């Protein structure tokens, strides 16, 4: 008795059996049940569409951040109108809108802003409806959940009353990502983070686009309420504006007294609680399709105009795999004279299903995969070498840059006599790491003061509405022209302003020598 399948071929046939009986059906199930989805933010309109598993229907959900009612919805493919079946409007009977209040408590000097935040949260809660669910969190360096999502208004108000501005740094983006992760699995049709902040972000490894992508993936709308620190620093509020605009949310800006528009306080959820559902049957496209992917245009008309949104439609065809069944058994070596008379036994020993062109599959399995791995390793090594060369080149270029000569210096008046060079025309002083001169002292505000180089050796010191003020030669100032030797007080830190370099005092003084009078002719 001999086995007519060599060991290598038996291995391949066994893999084919596993592929045909397990992997192939699983692959076909995934292909036939796949749902194509997209979310688009187009101006004030946000729309999410899902294509059904049988590719026959497109279901869409839309919302308008300005709460403009949609007068009509149409769909078009190659100048042909498609039928549109409008569904329910939002909010419906079983709808839930979840809101997480997120308050920036990072600066002890801004407790007055936190008190305003509490007042505004109470007013917003008073405008809530039965389908609204709320939570409360605060953040500075870390995110703290003060009241879980689903708490009633009394719990939220009590938790808000305990908010204190006690933080030191503002990790806005990292804490936003953590809040989105916390909020992602909440069971609600609409989800929004109400962000109360001044827009300052001191993150170094987390970025704006990270937050936008995470919010879109989780279906979370960011509603921002910005409280400016000062007129010069109000540009930081652009951070909040972009977070809202790029997630389909609303941006609200407080005035210099930290008051926000009454219209928003009275109707804070109008940008969330509108829109609805509609369906687009795709039979016309399926019957006349040429490729496996095409585009249709959705048009949503309101009183202020028409929004056109392109939507990609896909038709995933199930691949047809032709297989043959090979009956394999252990038999005795047949006699050459009776080879034609042999018939297969009634009960086979083993049944293996394999593709008809197993030799090509075998070649791919044994040769292409090692070759691809080799190419991948070669590309990895080449990329690493190129990055190393580029890094060395950058270091060489850095070494060639000329040293920047400071315009002036601030020298601490303690034992360390630390010297802070002023190398820019605008030099910021404060506790935050984003300043040109960082003063690590609790009496110093995050953005305390600025020094402007006007022309030549003229410098102007400006107080940025700091908590403890700015003093020059023991007198409080708002704006001051600095002179050589002035003592500047930033909180509890005393600094001497000087134009002289560090080696100036080491130079020898010029001595008067007896000189010869020049001859007079």
């Amino acid at each position: 008795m001999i086995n007519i399948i060599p060991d290598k071929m038996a291995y391949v046939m066994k893999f084919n059996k596993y592929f045909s009986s397990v992997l192939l059906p699983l692959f076909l199930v995934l292909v036939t049940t796949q749902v194509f989805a997209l979310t688009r933010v187009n101006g004030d309109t946000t729309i999410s569409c899902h294509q059904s598993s049988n590719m026959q229907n497109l279901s869409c959900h839309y919302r308008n951040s300005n709460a403009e009612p949609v007068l009509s919805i149409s769909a078009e493919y190659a100048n042909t109108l498609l039928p549109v079946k409008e569904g329910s409007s939002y909010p419906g009977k079983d709808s839930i809108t979840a809101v997480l209040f997120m308050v920036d408590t990072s600066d002890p000097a801004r407790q007055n802003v936190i008190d305003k935040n509490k007042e505004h949260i109470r007013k917003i809660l008073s405008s809530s409806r039965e389908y609204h669910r709320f939570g409360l969190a605060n953040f500075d360096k870390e995110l703290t959940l003060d009241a879980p999502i689903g708490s009633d208004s009394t719990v939220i108000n009590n938790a808000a009353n305990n908010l204190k501005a006690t933080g030191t740094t503002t990790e806005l983006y990292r804490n936003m990502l953590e809040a989105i992760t916390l909020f992602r699995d909440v069971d609600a049709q609409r989800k929004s983070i109400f962000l109360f902040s001044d827009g300052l972000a001191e993150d170094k490894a987390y970025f704006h686009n990270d937050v936008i992508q995470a919010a879109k993936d989780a279906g979370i709308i960011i509603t921002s309420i910005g409280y400016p620190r000062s007129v010069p620093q109000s540009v930081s509020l652009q951070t909040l504006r972009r977070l809202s605009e790029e997630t389909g949310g609303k941006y609200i800006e407080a005035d210099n007294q930290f008051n926000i528009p009454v219209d928003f306080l009275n109707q804070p959820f109008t940008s969330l609680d509108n829109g609805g559902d509609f369906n687009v049957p795709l039979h016309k496209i399926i019957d006349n399709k040429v490729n496996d992917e095409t585009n249709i245009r959705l048009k949503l008309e309101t009183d202020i105009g028409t929004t056109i949104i392109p939507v990609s439609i896909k038709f995933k065809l199930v691949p047809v795999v032709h297989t043959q069944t090979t009956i394999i058994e252990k038999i005795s070596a047949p006699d050459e004279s009776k080879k034609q008379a042999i018939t297969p036994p009634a009960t086979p020993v083993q049944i293996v299903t394999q593709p008809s062109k197993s030799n090509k599959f075998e070649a791919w399995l044994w040769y292409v995969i090692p070759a691809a791995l080799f190419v991948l390793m070669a590309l990895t090594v080449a990329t690493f070498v190129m990055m190393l060369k580029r890094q060395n080149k950058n270091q060489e270029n850095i070494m060639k840059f000329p040293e920047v000569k400071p315009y002036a210096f601030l020298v601490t008046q303690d034992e360390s006599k630390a010297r802070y060079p002023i190398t820019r025309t605008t030099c910021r002083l404060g506790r935050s790491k984003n300043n040109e001169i960082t003063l690590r002292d609790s009496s110093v505000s995050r953005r305390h003061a600025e020094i402007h180089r006007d022309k030549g050796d003229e410098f102007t010191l400006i107080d940025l509405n700091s908590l403890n003020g700015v003093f020059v030669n023991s007198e409080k100032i708002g704006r001051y022209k600095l002179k050589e030797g002035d003592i500047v007080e930033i909180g509890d830190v005393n600094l001497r302003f000087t134009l002289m370099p560090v080696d100036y005092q080491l130079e020898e003084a010029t001595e008067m020598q007896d000189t010869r009078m020049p001859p007079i002719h």
Side-chain angles (χ1 to χ4, degrees), residues 301-374:
E301 183 179 354
T302 65
D303 285 333
I304 61 175
T306 301
T307 301
I308 300 177
I309 301 176
V311 177
S312 177
I313 302 298
K314 297 183 179 181
F315 304 98
K316 199 73 173 181
L317 300 179
V318 178
V320 179
V321 180
H322 299 284
T323 62
Q324 64 180 15
T325 301
T326 304
I327 300 176
I328 301 172
E329 59 170 327
K330 295 183 178 181
I331 58 175
S332 301
D335 183 60
E336 291 294 330
S337 61
K338 299 181 180 180
K339 191 178 293 186
Q340 301 295 330
I342 295 177
T343 58
T347 304
V349 176
Q350 183 182 11
I351 297 179
V352 179
T353 302
Q354 64 177 4
S356 57
K357 296 183 179 180
S358 60
N359 57 334
K360 290 185 178 181
F361 178 78
E362 181 184 1
W364 175 82
L365 181 66
W366 294 101
Y367 300 106
V368 175
I369 290 181
L373 291 176
F374 176 78

Side-chain angles (χ1 to χ4, degrees), residues 224 271 359 384 503:
S224 302
S271 63
N359 57 334
F384 176 76
D503 56 353

Side-chain angles (χ1 to χ4, degrees), residues 44 46 61-68 89-92 95-101 124 127-129 131-134 183 188-195 219-225 244 247-251 264 267-276:
D44 298 326
T46 302
H61 185 81
Y62 69 94
R63 181 183 60 84
N64 190 293
S65 61
N66 283 333
E68 289 290 337
S89 58
Y90 191 90
S95 299
I96 294 178
T97 299
V99 173
L100 175 63
F101 296 117
I124 291 172
S127 302
S128 64
R129 306 292 293 274
Y131 54 84
H132 291 131
R133 304 289 184 270
F134 299 99
F183 207 4
Q189 286 71 43
R190 299 274 174 90
K191 291 179 278 189
S192 180
I193 293 176
F194 275 43
L195 176 61
I220 294 175
I221 305 157
I222 300 176
T223 301
S224 302
I225 301 97
S244 294
T247 59
K250 198 79 173 172
Y251 169 72
F264 175 76
Q267 295 182 315
F269 308 111
T270 54
S271 63
L272 302 176
D273 298 339
N274 68 82

Side-chain angles (χ1 to χ4, degrees), residues 399-442:
M399 295 301 293
K400 294 177 183 179
F401 289 158
E403 183 179 357
V404 178
K405 182 179 180 181
Y407 300 123
F409 301 88
L410 290 174
V411 185
T412 59
Q413 298 303 287
D414 54 15
E415 294 180 357
S416 67
K417 298 296 181 183
R419 296 175 67 88
Y420 295 100
I422 300 174
T423 58
R424 296 186 178 182
T425 55
T426 299
C427 180
R428 297 172 297 177
L429 298 85
R431 193 177 71 250
S432 171
K433 294 183 291 183
N434 292 335
N435 296 297
E436 281 72 32
I437 296 179
T438 301
L439 303 173
R440 290 297 186 184
D441 191 283
S442 60

Side-chain angles (χ1 to χ4, degrees), residues 39-59:
T39 299
R40 293 273 178 85
V41 178
N42 190 336
D44 298 326
T45 302
T46 302
I47 187 166
S48 300
C49 292
H50 301 266
Q51 193 172 351
S52 61
S53 58
N54 60 6
M55 311 300 162
Q56 302 286 323
N57 189 67
L58 185 71
S59 300

